[in-house]
Amino acid sequence: METELPELFRRQSEATGHSYTFHSARATLKNVTREELLAMAAKAADCATAVSDADVDVIAYACLVAVMAQGPGAHDSAEAIIARAAEENGHPAEVTSSAGALVRTLADLGVRRVAMVTPYMKPLTKLVSEYIEGAGIEVLDAVSLEVADNLAVGCLNPDNLPGIARDLKLEGAEAIILSACVQMPSLRAVETVEKELGLPVITAATATTYEILKALGHQPAITGAGSLLAGTATTLVGLRS
């Protein structure tokens, strides 16, 4: 999130002339386990207070699995907590979360069946699958890369993702979630996979960017990041139906 979002908004600025500033606050996480994720999620309000101090227009809660580990629909309460913290700090802002953005974006596109790649251990991938299915979207296949160390997740090579995506069971799929984690780099592979496999490719980071732009009232105009942020994903889904 801290590398891909600034790059995506740089491309948006280049295309539209809009300028953006990027501010962040971190909640600590070492190992990607359910227990540590829940402890990290408890710090969301403090982080929201810190980042709202910059009087931002939109706040995005960037850990997808920390929210999803709390059970289906948890993004609603997580986003409400963040919105309340920003308002109480005197700087109300629009709020999204990577968990909410992912399921809402898939719903916006009319997607009902997906295959996905996660960096998580298999039990966490199962939680993510159940969360997505709780939003009415069937997960046909899911690959777990089984990397437990959070810093190691951030160092995974996105150039490996096209080969991993080719091995997904895609029959009946309407989209691919190439990275169900904002910590796992994927931007460099999004367009490659989309062109090769002929399906819209969404990631936690691109879905979050999409929702931030919607909240700002800005039309996506981002190149090299897939059809969602180029503004053509709905056409691709239509062609697949």
Side-chain angles (χ1 to χ4, degrees), residues 97-112:
S97 65
S98 51
L102 183 63
V103 295
R104 286 190 295 256
T105 297
L106 291 169
D108 281 356
L109 298 178
V111 171
R112 287 295 173 262

Side-chain angles (χ1 to χ4, degrees), residues 77-236:
S77 57
E79 291 167 6
I81 288 168
I82 289 167
R84 185 164 59 250
E87 186 171 2
E88 289 175 353
N89 194 41
H91 297 290
E94 295 291 323
V95 175
T96 185
S97 65
S98 51
L102 183 63
V103 295
R104 286 190 295 256
T105 297
L106 291 169
D108 281 356
L109 298 178
V111 171
R112 287 295 173 262
R113 294 179 298 277
V114 300
M116 73 173 176
V117 180
T118 87
Y120 310 128
M121 306 303 286
K122 288 179 181 178
L124 280 180
T125 297
K126 186 173 184 291
L127 285 177
V128 172
S129 294
E130 290 171 350
Y131 195 98
I132 292 170
E133 293 193 331
I137 299 158
E138 184 180 1
V139 179
L140 300 174
D141 193 22
V143 171
S144 299
L145 301 184
E146 298 198 87
V147 181
D149 182 271
N150 193 47
L151 292 178
V153 171
C155 295
L156 289 171
N157 186 351
D159 293 334
N160 293 331
L161 285 172
I164 294 167
R166 286 183 209 112
D167 290 335
L168 288 167
K169 298 170 185 173
L170 295 174
E171 185 176 356
E174 297 171 334
I176 297 167
I177 302 171
L178 193 61
S179 175
C181 174
V182 295
Q183 175 77 341
M184 184 172 85
S186 59
L187 179 57
R188 203 159 65 213
V190 169
E191 197 141 290
T192 298
V193 173
E194 190 166 271
K195 288 177 178 176
E196 180 177 333
L197 299 181
L199 289 168
V201 171
I202 313 298
T203 74
T206 62
T208 303
T209 300
Y210 177 72
E211 282 222 331
I212 292 171
L213 288 170
K214 281 177 63 177
L216 294 171
H218 295 176
Q219 181 67 30
I222 297 172
T223 59
S227 55
L228 174 69
L229 293 180
T232 59
T234 51
T235 302
L236 287 176

